[in-house]
């Protein structure tokens, strides 16, 4: 299976490392033997129709700053649109920084990938949160797989669980914590750190967006709320439809005061008739009161009651694991080893 990687930041570098480490297991258990036919970063690309040397790719990116410096495969200045248009591949794996204003350039990359007949795996929230069903619709028309389970919850398969729950029951609402950065900051405020020190630590751990204000002001959380809502309720919601309040006004004193009453403050995203993101005081023993950079969601099902899933929601390895999850799902659906027998799985959504 031939892959093009767009973006060579922490997430796609982690993906390359996982592909190296799990090479034998992926081949034996899934019949999955990927060839990275191109990798692109902001300075250029590395291209090889026979597959790039993954070890060399990682080494060059880390030591020289760009994959365009990769021996005879390096192409200084070659951009992502050129690569997508000219390189033959099965899946484009997109992990560039999220832009919640225009969705670009990710939006154009995903469109070009689909227009040239390539399946797409992305963890990018911008294009999905801003354009509702545009990309799923294009994928459907082109009969391509489009998977984005890492866009909500990172390594924690929140969208996949929602899709499974929706097969046999109906999700009538949900509440969750979808942003690792703000949850980490709120937890550290409880431990006595200042807001600034907690944010710095979140940045160092690789949780924050390129612009951390997107996390702090609640926009990252709101974008995930939109993506999950559209998947769960089959709506065409956009980011502008969510009422958003971030944690910028939450002080250490307010957190300490809540603690005296056995409560914690968490940035809660609520899905349903009035989609909203806001810091809320909740009981410490609530399933939503997760700590550190954890994410959590409680789905309310019509017949089965509450179902909660929590796990790590941010970080390079975690999100790379979600990309691999989606890549392997497409591999299986295209007839790879251990192909899924779940014939009910729609192409666009995220059913495993
Ligand atoms: N900045 C995001 C977060 C990364 O803190 O959750 C994962 O989407």
């Amino acid at each position: 299976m031939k892959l093009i990687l767009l973006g060579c930041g922490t997430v796609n570098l982690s993906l390359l490392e996982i592909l190296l480490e799990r090479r034998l297991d992926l081949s034996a258990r899934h019949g999955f033997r990927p060839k990275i036919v191109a990798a692109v970063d902001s300075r250029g690309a590395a291209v090889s129709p026979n597959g790039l040397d993954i070890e060399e790719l990682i080494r060059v990116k880390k030591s020289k700053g760009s994959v365009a410096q990769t021996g005879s495969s390096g192409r200084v200045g070659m951009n992502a649109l050129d690569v997508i248009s000219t390189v033959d591949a099965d899946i484009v794996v997109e992990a560039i920084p999220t832009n919640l204003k225009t969705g670009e350039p990710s939006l154009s990359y995903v469109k070009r990938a689909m227009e040239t007949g390539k399946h797409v795996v992305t963890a990018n929230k911008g294009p999905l949160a801003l354009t509702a069903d545009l990309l799923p619709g294009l994928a459907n028309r082109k009969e391509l797989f489009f998977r984005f389970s890492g866009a909500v919850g990172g390594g924690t398969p929140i969208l996949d669980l929602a899709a499974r729950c929706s097969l046999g029951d109906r999700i009538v609402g949900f509440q969750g914590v979808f942003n690792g950065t703000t949850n980490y900051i709120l937890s550290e405020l409880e431990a006595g750190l200042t807001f600034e020190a907690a944010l710095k630590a979140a940045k160092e751990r690789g949780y924050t967006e390129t612009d951390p204000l997107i996390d702090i002001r609640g926009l990252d959380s709101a974008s995930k709320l939109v993506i999950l809502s559209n998947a769960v309720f089959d709506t065409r919601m956009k980011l502008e439809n969510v009422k958003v309040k971030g944690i910028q006004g939450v002080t250490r004193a307010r957190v300490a005061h809540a603690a005296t009453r056995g409560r914690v403050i968490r940035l809660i995203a609520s899905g349903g008739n009035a989609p909203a993101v806001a810091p809320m005081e909740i009981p410490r023993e609530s399933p939503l009161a997760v700590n550190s950079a954890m994410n959590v969601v409680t789905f309310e099902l019509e017949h089965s009651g509450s179902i909660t899933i929590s796990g790590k929601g941010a970080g390079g390895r975690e999100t790379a694991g979600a990309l691999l999850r989606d890549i392997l799902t497409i591999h299986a659906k295209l007839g790879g080893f251990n192909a899924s027998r779940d014939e009910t799985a729609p192409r666009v959504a995220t059913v495993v």
Side-chain angles (χ1 to χ4, degrees), residues 200-211:
K200 186 164 172 279
K203 266 190 210 166
E204 283 162 7
R205 285 171 163 75
Y207 301 149
T208 56
E209 295 300 302
T210 310
D211 175 4

Side-chain angles (χ1 to χ4, degrees), residues 18-70:
I18 294 171
L19 291 179
L20 258 188
E21 289 160 13
R22 290 189 49 195
R23 194 193 294 262
L24 294 177
D25 153 59
L26 290 171
S27 173
R29 293 186 57 194
H30 301 278
F32 181 62
R33 287 173 283 276
K35 279 184 188 170
I36 308 299
V37 289
V40 190
D41 61 30
S42 57
R43 283 153 60 184
V47 179
S48 171
N50 295 322
L52 294 157
D53 178 330
I54 295 182
E55 267 181 290
E56 186 189 10
L57 204 55
I58 296 171
R59 198 173 53 245
V60 169
K61 178 68 188 177
K62 285 187 174 169
S63 62
K64 299 187 179 169
S66 172
V67 291
Q69 303 298 326
T70 312

Side-chain angles (χ1 to χ4, degrees), residues 125 151 178-182 207-209 215 220 224 295 313-315 319:
K125 295 148 277 187
F178 297 141
N179 183 263
T181 300
T182 47
Y207 301 149
T208 56
E209 295 300 302
D215 297 295
D220 176 76
K224 293 162 179 165
N295 278 197
T319 310

